Amino acid sequence: MKKVGILTGGGDAPGLNAVIRAVVIRLAVEKQQDFQCIGFIDGWAGLRDNKTIKLEPGKVDSILHEGGTILGTSRTNLYKKPDDVKKAVQNYHQLELDGLVAIGGDDTLEIAYYLHRDEGIKAVGVPKTIDNDVMGTDFTFGFWSAVEQATQAIDDLRVTTMSHRRVMVIECMGRHAGWITAYTGLASGADFIAVPERPVHINDIAREVRHCRELGKAHAIVVVAEGASIGGIEPKPRVVKEGEGWKLSDKIERDSFGNVVLKPGEIAEAVASEIEKLTGMETRGIALGHLQRGGAPSAYDRILGTRYGLQAAEAVVHGHFGHMVVLQGLRVETVPMKGMIREQQSEAKRYKYLPDSFLDMAEVFYG
Ligand code: F6P
């Protein structure tokens, strides 16, 4: 009997349960080898503290439609304390694991990669984040569910915005990359979209808002990413240009993984108050915040999560450790984690950014 561990790390995303379910069920029906799955509670903290639960097909069969993760999650960086790595490796061996499926964003995958490279842990990575900014994969699961949630919210907000003939500034998640903001902005017919990848000035936004009025529209919808680069307001842009890419400004607070820590609503409020001053139009700001991570996974994310889970189980069966599963075009593939991980990437190249072509297309409707 071979034992395989599964964990979910970082911010949750709709579709995590779909991956867990697919890994457990695929390994249970494997004909050539016998597998048993265990789950670690709260991500890497569960491996470090040896907190586990048994995962059997009966337990996971009905979780496909549920958001969040039945395993719990945390932002635990084992590499912050050398003892934590030791404990995690010890537990892995004591449990006699023959594989470990780590489902998470670039932080979680980076730890999986180091544990595989330096400690011989048989890790397989599955990329997740609503932000869709993980290198190597066209889409992470969770992204489309977040876009659905945010689009629905903006449709609802448009109603009250129109009644009051106001400007509504809506903040979406995305501290490094503007995928959710740009896709949601396009889907909801926004009058301006501001993302980290394309720096703008507050005057550009004000000009578009005035333009709406000239067109005879009494309201305007502005969608901004929480990490948007907007000159002329406080907070100052957190992402600054570096060569061909971007890097996080030195002057910001970071978490244990080096991610920028943002205050929800900060940028929406700053933009709203400045727009009101510049245009004379009554303006409100709102952050959609964690609503974007909540709710049930969309059908797309249930299917993508299922495909990722099946492919991860396949990698375990065939011993393709140190690999992660990715979506490339229509195909789900397994690729080496080396090369996808920030280890050899400058900060500018660490994230998958929105392509210019998407932003150019979106600008047809404002700019
Ligand atoms: O998981 C990514 C993300 O949702 C970012 O978009 C956001 O900035 C961050 O997580 C929020 O993290 P937390 O849930 O720890 O506040």
Side-chain angles (χ1 to χ4, degrees):
M1 173 73 76
K2 289 188 167 177
K3 274 210 241 168
V4 176
I6 305 176
L7 63 83
T8 54
D12 65 350
L16 283 164
N17 286 328
V19 182
I20 298 167
R21 173 178 177 267
V23 174
V24 172
I25 293 178
R26 169 64 185 85
L27 290 179
V29 299
E30 169 60 26
K31 300 250 178 356
Q32 315 298 323
Q33 305 168 57
D34 270 349
F35 285 101
Q36 186 196 339
C37 289
I38 62 166
F40 289 101
I41 304 298
D42 297 346
W44 293 115
L47 180 61
R48 178 194 62 201
D49 304 335
N50 204 9
K51 290 210 175 122
T52 63
I53 57 166
K54 237 179 166 184
L55 289 174
E56 280 157 348
K59 201 170 204 155
V60 298
D61 199 31
S62 309
I63 62 172
L64 182 59
H65 64 292
E66 288 174 12
T69 160
I70 58 161
L71 295 176
T73 185
S74 67
R75 295 188 191 276
T76 305
N77 187 351
L78 294 179
Y79 283 86
K80 276 282 147 189
K81 290 191 199 152
D83 245 24
D84 283 1
V85 175
K86 229 193 266 168
K87 282 185 206 161
V89 174
Q90 244 168 28
N91 289 332
Y92 174 89
H93 290 302
Q94 247 161 36
L95 288 163
E96 300 180 335
L97 291 182
D98 296 290
L100 178 64
V101 177
I103 313 166
D106 61 325
D107 296 332
T108 305
L109 298 177
E110 186 184 16
I111 292 182
Y113 172 65
Y114 292 148
L115 288 176
H116 174 262
R117 186 192 64 185
D118 302 335
E119 313 292 341
I121 282 183
K122 296 176 175 174
V124 172
V126 180
K128 156 254 56 162
T129 169
I130 63 163
D131 293 353
N132 197 37
D133 58 359
V134 176
M135 297 286 254
T137 191
D138 289 351
F139 287 110
T140 47
F141 64 87
F143 167 68
W144 282 104
S145 303
V147 170
E148 291 295 340
Q149 285 275 54
T151 302
Q152 181 61 57
I154 296 180
D155 287 352
D156 293 348
L157 286 166
R158 188 184 284 280
V159 175
T160 170
T161 309
M162 286 174 77
S163 307
H164 288 263
R165 306 184 202 290
R166 282 176 173 157
V167 181
M168 190 66 78
V169 179
I170 298 143
E171 178 184 308
C172 289
M173 279 187 168
R175 41 191 170 186
H176 311 291
W179 289 91
I180 301 175
T181 303
Y183 274 63
T184 301
L186 194 70
S188 57
D191 300 299
F192 199 93
I193 295 169
V195 293
E197 294 90 333
R198 187 161 287 185
V200 293
H201 193 274
I202 191 71
N203 292 336
D204 302 327
I205 308 181
R207 195 183 53 241
E208 282 313 309
V209 167
R210 282 193 216 102
H211 184 57
C212 287
R213 220 167 20 190
E214 284 153 24
L215 291 176
K217 235 169 82 172
H219 77 287
I221 299 284
V222 174
V223 189
V224 297
E226 59 182 344
S229 307
I230 304 176
I233 56 160
E234 291 294 338
K236 297 255 180 295
R238 294 91 161 193
V239 180
V240 291
K241 195 93 180 148
E242 184 190 62
E244 290 296 288
W246 290 264
K247 71 170 191 137
L248 296 177
S249 136
D250 301 331
K251 296 190 186 90
I252 42 162
E253 193 191 335
R254 296 178 184 234
D255 68 14
S256 68
F257 284 100
N259 297 308
V260 48
V261 176
L262 300 173
K263 280 199 206 106
E266 197 179 19
I267 200 154
E269 281 306 324
V271 171
S273 83
E274 208 51 38
I275 288 296
E276 187 161 293
K277 276 189 226 149
L278 290 170
T279 65
M281 283 178 78
E282 201 175 23
T283 307
R284 296 286 184 269
I286 182 170
L288 301 182
H290 290 83
L291 265 180
Q292 295 159 95
R293 296 218 307 245
S298 64
Y300 180 91
D301 282 333
R302 294 178 202 194
I303 293 168
L304 184 60
T306 299
R307 293 179 72 199
Y308 276 177
L310 292 176
Q311 188 76 12
E314 214 59 50
V316 170
V317 169
H318 297 291
H320 295 150
F321 301 113
H323 282 59
M324 65 189 266
V325 302
V326 292
L327 178 72
Q328 290 178 349
L330 291 177
R331 294 171 64 86
V332 171
E333 310 272 3
T334 309
V335 299
M337 278 198 267
K338 189 174 168 66
M340 299 298 153
I341 302 301
R342 80 177 73 145
E343 173 209 30
Q344 334 129 59
Q345 312 280 4
S346 76
E347 194 152 61
K349 290 190 182 146
R350 182 174 142 186
Y351 300 105
K352 184 187 70 187
Y353 296 103
L354 256 173
D356 271 348
S357 56
F358 192 93
L359 290 168
D360 293 343
M361 175 183 63
E363 275 190 6
V364 170
F365 299 94
Y366 56 95

